[in-house]
Amino acid sequence: MKPDDTLAGEMQRRGVSRRAFLKYGSYIASLMALPPSAVEALAEGLAAARRQSVIWLSFQECTGCTESLTRSYSPTLENLIFDFISLDYHETLMAVSGEAAEEARRAAMAANKGKYIVVVDGSVPMKDGGVYATIGGKTNHQILEDTVKDAFAVVAVGTCAAFGGLPKANPNPTGAVAISTLVAGKPMINISGCPPIPEAMTGALAYILSFGKLPELDHLSRPKAFFGETIHDRCYRRPYYERGEFANAFDDAGARQGHCLFKVGCKGPVTYNSCATTKWNGGVSFPIQSGHGCLGCSEPEFWDQGGFYRPLSTPLGAMGPALAGAALAGAALGVGAALSARSHQKHYLASLDKEKEKE
Amino acid sequence: MSAACAATETNEPDAGLVGALVSETLARLTLFAETGETTTIDLGGLPMSNRHRAALDDFLGRGEVSASIDVIGRTEVWETQFSGVWRVRHFGDGAIATDLIEIAACPKILCADRRDARLAARGMAEALELNPGIVETPHET
Amino acid sequence: MELLAFARGPALTFSLAIFVLGVVWRLVGVLALPPWHDYSPPREGAPPNWLAAIRAVFRKMIPHKTFLKDGMFTTINGYVFHFGLAIVVFLFVPHIVLIQSLFGVSWPGLPNGVITGVGGLTAASLLGALAYRLTSPVLKLISRPNDYISWLLTFLPVATGLAATAHVGLRYETMLALHILSVCAFLIWFPFGKLMHAFLFVLSRGATGIRFGHRGAQL
Ligand code: SF4
Ligand code: SF4
């Protein structure tokens, strides 16, 4: 008899019952705020799925995204996803290197043509022919095109891959671009964040595995389940914001009483992410709960919003010189206008006098 | 519940959350009693603090059944003092991963799946084949 | 966030600069005009110029009793949206934070619920003012594009601000960007249209007061 190669079969061989899928289904449905009725569909879909081949490409990045996703202490619910995927290529995690690693990538691509998922972290440098990041003599751009060609879907993990991130920040010396600009025509998901919330990536992958399609996405291709609401919408400090109670500095009485962090630069109102509900480190806390405003890390160009501590309702750049210059110019124009009025008046009076003389 | 049921206490104001949850549970329990329709209420995503959770569980109390399941981590299941209302709590990396109120004759996660049973039957048959005398053993003198 | 960055960045810088330039230009231009001399002797018992000016500024805040009844709606409605605007603009905390970033001064604000309520009232009052302008036979005749543009550019920031807080219409960050851009349009128009009355009303009332007072006329 052919061994059952579904995920359920694999789990059964390890002595784990289908309860595991039910439990995992509840977990994912809860994470993604799917209706409880979706739990069984998720569980059944996952149980019937085959191990998903994943090829992970790392470009201009700091490996923080991989850190975020793989940091886990024991084989539990949260990282069960790694039993459901087959990570066929990941430079940081794979044992082999060099030509053997590249061979593994090619083999996985050939064996799973049209079915593998490409996960990318990091942005791609395009300036000067892409020479700023190469692997084995190939530019990031070449590797991406080559790998994505036969993929089923592309998942850009982290803000660098999703929107360009730090490499693309002003003045963008390498001409870095987001992955989405290079993979036209492929189903594509952005899991932004610096780093992204691991549950967002897990949830999106589990959803694809169970349902064979992408979850619902927002206009920036982010799963709505995790990026559908702003931090501010779900922030527990919101009542303070509404009452007008703010921390003016990180060490004042307001800060100690847990008041809203808007005045010290919180970007929660314009940042779509699920930190406030999913939280970090297995639900321990999230930045605002730890006393620091949201940096806006899951939004495009968050590095270039004028500074992390500059309140959202203030201008991006320094206004002093522009305003001083404008005031000076205005004063000059005003004085000029008045002088011209005065000379006009003088001439007029003089002409009156002249007329009087004539008479 | 997402990994969200954070352990950290935050001093959010009580918005009558527990009361609302209990009314919802009552409505669904009534429906179940009348029609047999089962439902699950996911406490995930609700802004629940530990205080809210404790208040809810205080109200629901403990009934006749409680079980612990060991599958990819721990899961605790108990019937509340209100028959048909169950609490199902899945644990992940030490923290609560999913927290549910299930209104049913029996929570799904407790029931064995027939496909698992089919495999189990095969396993049992094999075990029996390997050791045909085992069933009689206790009766032999 | 790109539109928001544009609004908070170049758009706000440019429009604030135009605002400051225009306001200073017009104020300096008016104040540096040759002083006005009335060579006739003042009426007996005429108040000194400064007193006449100040009196006029305040007396004109309530219409003359002859017009009180007919002008009731415009007077009360005018007060409602002027005070409403002042409260919304100067007592909403994010606005105070903006002013503080520009001029370094700040003061306590009001809770958001109050601001939203006042904002709604202000918007309704502005709509009432427009309706009156469009229906009153006299006002209709003397209204110019300047009046309508000034009205629109006052109304838009209120409307977009309310929409942003109430989460209606577009996504919050887009609404916020539109709110800031509408304020930019307001700032650019301000010095050159009738909105400039916010500064000039004191000068014009004062000047009228001096002239009237000199001749012993009551305002
Ligand atoms: S701390 Fe930030 S996200 Fe929370 S209420 Fe204040 S502004 Fe909003
Ligand atoms: S709170 Fe904001 S900046 Fe911090 S991780 Fe979440 S989205 Fe990123």
Side-chain angles (χ1 to χ4, degrees):
Chain A
M1 203 178 74
K2 187 169 144 279
D4 180 359
D5 65 346
T6 62
L7 294 179
E10 283 199 23
M11 294 300 265
Q12 274 166 343
R13 274 193 291 283
R14 285 162 50 182
V16 180
S17 77
R18 281 179 178 254
R19 286 195 182 96
F21 292 95
L22 205 57
K23 179 167 175 173
Y24 198 66
S26 307
Y27 171 62
I28 297 296
S30 184
L31 266 184
M32 300 187 73
L34 299 172
S37 56
V39 171
E40 263 178 75
L42 260 167
E44 290 299 323
L46 270 177
R50 308 251 155 12
R51 240 170 194 263
Q52 172 67 49
S53 167
V54 170
I55 296 179
W56 186 305
L57 302 177
S58 296
F59 296 144
Q60 294 193 120
E61 46 87 47
C62 70
T63 315
C65 296
T66 297
E67 265 319 311
S68 169
L69 298 171
T70 54
R71 55 149 299 289
S72 237
Y73 317 109
S74 48
T76 52
L77 201 54
E78 287 89 346
N79 55 17
L80 192 64
I81 192 72
F82 291 106
D83 290 317
F84 295 165
I85 64 173
S86 152
L87 201 48
D88 292 328
Y89 179 90
H90 188 305
E91 283 163 18
T92 317
L93 300 179
M94 66 201 306
V96 293
S97 61
E99 191 42 44
E102 294 309 304
E103 188 45 45
R105 177 169 66 89
R106 284 191 287 270
M109 283 167 60
N112 301 288
K113 199 167 172 181
K115 286 188 288 200
Y116 60 89
I117 291 177
V118 178
V119 175
V120 187
D121 62 345
S123 64
V124 174
M126 297 298 281
K127 203 168 154 194
D128 301 328
V131 296
Y132 297 108
T134 61
I135 299 163
K138 280 186 169 182
T139 66
N140 286 173
H141 187 202
Q142 287 167 333
I143 296 171
L144 180 70
E145 280 199 327
D146 185 44
T147 315
V148 158
K149 199 170 58 215
D150 294 321
F152 157 63
V154 181
V155 182
V157 167
T159 297
C160 295
F163 306 128
L166 181 63
K168 185 169 176 271
N170 196 15
N172 191 2
T174 66
V177 299
I179 300 308
S180 58
T181 61
L182 302 174
V183 296
K186 285 281 171 198
M188 153 104 212
I189 303 187
N190 284 328
I191 312 281
S192 59
C194 192
I197 294 183
E199 284 86 345
M201 148 118 189
T202 310
L205 278 181
Y207 189 99
I208 298 177
L209 251 64
S210 330
F211 296 119
K213 59 171 190 187
L214 305 188
E216 206 191 333
L217 305 177
D218 74 357
H219 71 297
L220 295 172
S221 302
R222 299 175 296 192
K224 277 194 178 160
F226 299 102
F227 300 91
E229 288 176 296
T230 63
I231 303 292
H232 185 67
D233 283 338
R234 303 302 297 269
C235 179
Y236 74 97
R237 297 197 187 210
R238 183 67 180 267
Y240 294 109
Y241 174 86
E242 299 299 345
R243 284 200 296 270
E245 293 175 333
F246 296 90
N248 289 301
F250 285 108
D251 56 355
D252 71 353
R256 274 191 292 275
Q257 280 157 43
H259 290 176
C260 169
L261 300 166
F262 182 88
K263 285 187 176 179
V264 284
C266 182
K267 304 296 183 295
V270 292
T271 306
Y272 293 78
N273 205 346
S274 48
C275 303
T277 45
T278 305
K279 306 201 178 174
W280 283 87
N281 299 327
V284 170
S285 180
F286 77 113
I288 291 170
Q289 195 173 333
S290 308
H292 194 285
C294 168
L295 304 180
C297 76
S298 56
E299 295 296 320
E301 260 116 70
F302 85 99
W303 294 101
D304 294 323
Q305 300 306 309
F308 294 148
Y309 303 99
R310 191 184 279 268
L312 188 60
S313 64
T314 59
L316 283 192
M319 300 286 281
L323 295 194
L328 278 179
L333 281 169
V335 168
L339 283 182
S340 119
R342 281 177 183 232
S343 91
H344 197 80
Q345 189 189 41
K346 212 187 266 167
H347 283 131
Y348 177 67
L349 291 178
S351 72
L352 281 187
D353 285 348
K354 228 177 258 169
E355 261 171 47
K356 242 182 238 163
E357 265 167 38
K358 262 189 225 160
E359 281 167 20
Chain B
M1 181 96 239
S2 45
C5 332
T8 322
E9 202 73 48
T10 51
N11 54 342
E12 61 223 290
D14 195 327
L17 188 67
V18 176
L21 261 174
V22 171
S23 320
E24 176 74 10
T25 308
L26 173 58
R28 310 246 190 139
L29 181 61
T30 316
L31 187 74
F32 171 67
E34 280 165 9
T35 69
E37 190 181 321
T38 64
T39 35
T40 306
I41 300 173
D42 183 357
L43 305 185
L46 301 178
M48 285 191 84
S49 64
N50 290 346
R51 194 163 47 82
H52 289 129
R53 202 179 305 275
L56 176 71
D57 282 333
D58 263 3
F59 180 85
L60 292 178
R62 290 262 179 175
E64 292 163 347
V65 185
S66 74
S68 164
I69 305 170
D70 181 20
V71 61
I72 47 166
R74 191 160 55 94
T75 290
E76 299 292 342
V77 180
W78 67 95
E79 193 178 27
T80 67
Q81 58 172 316
F82 305 102
S83 181
V85 179
W86 300 80
R87 291 282 281 117
V88 177
R89 183 172 284 174
H90 298 305
F91 290 86
D93 233 359
I96 300 171
T98 322
D99 208 12
L100 310 166
I101 300 176
E102 219 172 306
I103 293 138
C106 176
K108 196 111 197 93
I109 192 93
L110 279 182
C111 308
D113 190 287
R114 280 176 55 201
R115 289 162 293 188
D116 285 330
R118 195 181 310 144
L119 211 79
R122 207 184 303 146
M124 198 184 226
E126 276 166 16
L128 190 60
E129 234 167 73
L130 285 180
N131 195 353
I134 189 162
V135 179
E136 267 73 43
T137 316
H139 298 285
E140 273 177 12
T141 33
Chain C
M1 223 174 197
E2 286 91 339
L3 190 65
L4 184 58
F6 170 73
R8 290 175 66 205
L12 197 56
T13 312
F14 176 76
S15 55
L16 267 169
I18 295 291
F19 172 81
V20 169
L21 180 135
V23 167
V24 173
W25 175 2
R26 289 198 65 186
L27 282 181
V28 170
V30 169
L31 291 172
L33 276 178
W36 174 74
H37 297 294
D38 192 335
Y39 296 108
S40 63
R43 259 296 165 86
E44 212 172 297
N49 282 353
W50 64 266
L51 188 60
I54 291 175
R55 264 193 206 159
V57 170
F58 285 100
R59 285 238 172 103
K60 284 257 178 177
M61 286 185 167
I62 297 165
H64 194 274
K65 55 180 176 300
T66 330
F67 309 112
L68 199 55
K69 206 155 152 264
D70 285 344
M72 195 61 102
F73 172 75
T74 31
T75 308
I76 294 180
N77 193 51
Y79 272 106
V80 169
F81 73 73
H82 275 91
F83 274 111
L85 284 172
I87 290 171
V88 171
V89 172
F90 295 112
L91 294 179
F92 182 44
V93 175
H95 296 166
I96 300 173
V97 171
L98 168 67
I99 294 167
Q100 186 180 17
S101 82
L102 293 176
F103 305 112
V105 286
S106 79
W107 48 84
L110 287 176
N112 294 0
V114 178
I115 297 291
T116 311
V118 173
L121 194 67
T122 309
S125 170
L126 280 168
L127 285 172
L130 179 69
Y132 184 76
R133 185 176 285 279
L134 288 170
T135 51
S136 152
V138 179
L139 208 54
K140 206 164 53 179
L141 272 181
I142 59 168
S143 292
R144 294 281 168 270
N146 191 340
D147 297 286
Y148 293 110
I149 296 173
S150 299
W151 179 88
L152 185 70
L153 294 181
T154 310
F155 182 72
L156 281 182
V158 180
T160 51
L162 282 172
T165 26
H167 275 291
V168 295
L170 307 162
R171 288 165 72 88
Y172 177 77
E173 68 278 22
T174 315
M175 260 348 274
L176 184 63
L178 292 180
H179 174 63
I180 297 174
L181 289 173
S182 70
V183 172
C184 292
F186 173 92
L187 288 172
I188 292 172
W189 176 251
F190 186 100
F192 308 109
K194 288 205 175 174
L195 295 171
M196 188 64 191
H197 77 272
F199 287 105
L200 292 184
F201 85 99
V202 177
L203 302 185
S204 58
R205 279 186 194 175
T208 317
I210 292 173
R211 281 165 176 77
F212 275 53
H214 190 79
R215 292 167 202 174
Q218 278 285 337
L219 261 177

